[in-house]
């Protein structure tokens, strides 16, 4: 679901990414979330929703979530998702960022 709000740059502020993700979760689920609330442990959200989260992160933040980063633990909370975005946006040590 596209948003008209500007997406924060996760290189500078994971807190802003958390806030955007909390807004996204609230819009998609109709309930309020905290940064450390387990999105899947609280019930009602499926693995299909996990894929929707992956697509949202990739499109909103220009990242590619692949391989080991597709672990469910990276998507359990808004905080973990924001950390994942920050990690994937940073250039690899000794290499260039694609």
């Amino acid at each position: 679901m596209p948003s008209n709000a500007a997406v924060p740059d996760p290189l500078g502020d994971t807190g802003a990414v958390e806030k955007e993700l909390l807004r996204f979760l609230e819009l998609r689920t109709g309930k309020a979330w905290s940064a450390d609330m387990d999105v899947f442990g609280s019930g009602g959200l499926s693995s299909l929703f996990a894929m929707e989260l992956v697509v949202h992160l990739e499109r909103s933040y220009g990242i590619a979530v692949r391989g080991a980063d597709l672990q469910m633990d990276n998507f359990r909370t808004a905080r973990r998702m924001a950390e994942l975005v920050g990690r994937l946006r940073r250039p690899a040590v000794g290499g260039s960022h694609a």
Side-chain angles (χ1 to χ4, degrees):
M1 171 191 283
S3 170
N4 292 335
V7 176
D9 179 2
L11 288 174
D13 186 1
T14 58
V17 174
E18 274 181 23
K19 287 174 78 172
E20 186 279 327
L21 289 170
L22 291 170
R23 282 191 300 272
F24 173 80
L25 288 169
E26 186 171 349
L27 286 171
R28 297 298 294 134
T29 66
K31 79 181 229 183
W33 298 88
S34 68
D36 289 321
M37 184 181 270
D38 187 335
V39 172
F40 299 97
S42 61
L45 301 182
S46 66
S47 57
L48 185 57
F49 187 73
M51 292 313 300
E52 186 176 341
L53 286 171
V54 170
V55 170
H56 174 73
L57 294 176
E58 289 181 334
R59 288 182 179 167
S60 296
Y61 298 104
I63 60 173
V65 183
R66 304 284 182 264
D69 291 321
L70 284 169
Q71 296 175 28
M72 186 67 81
D73 280 345
N74 285 328
F75 301 91
R76 288 223 174 265
T77 69
R79 180 156 294 139
R80 287 185 186 176
M81 287 184 268
E83 290 167 354
L84 175 66
V85 168
R87 188 169 66 249
L88 293 176
R89 291 289 304 261
R90 281 193 287 281
V93 175
S96 64
H97 181 63

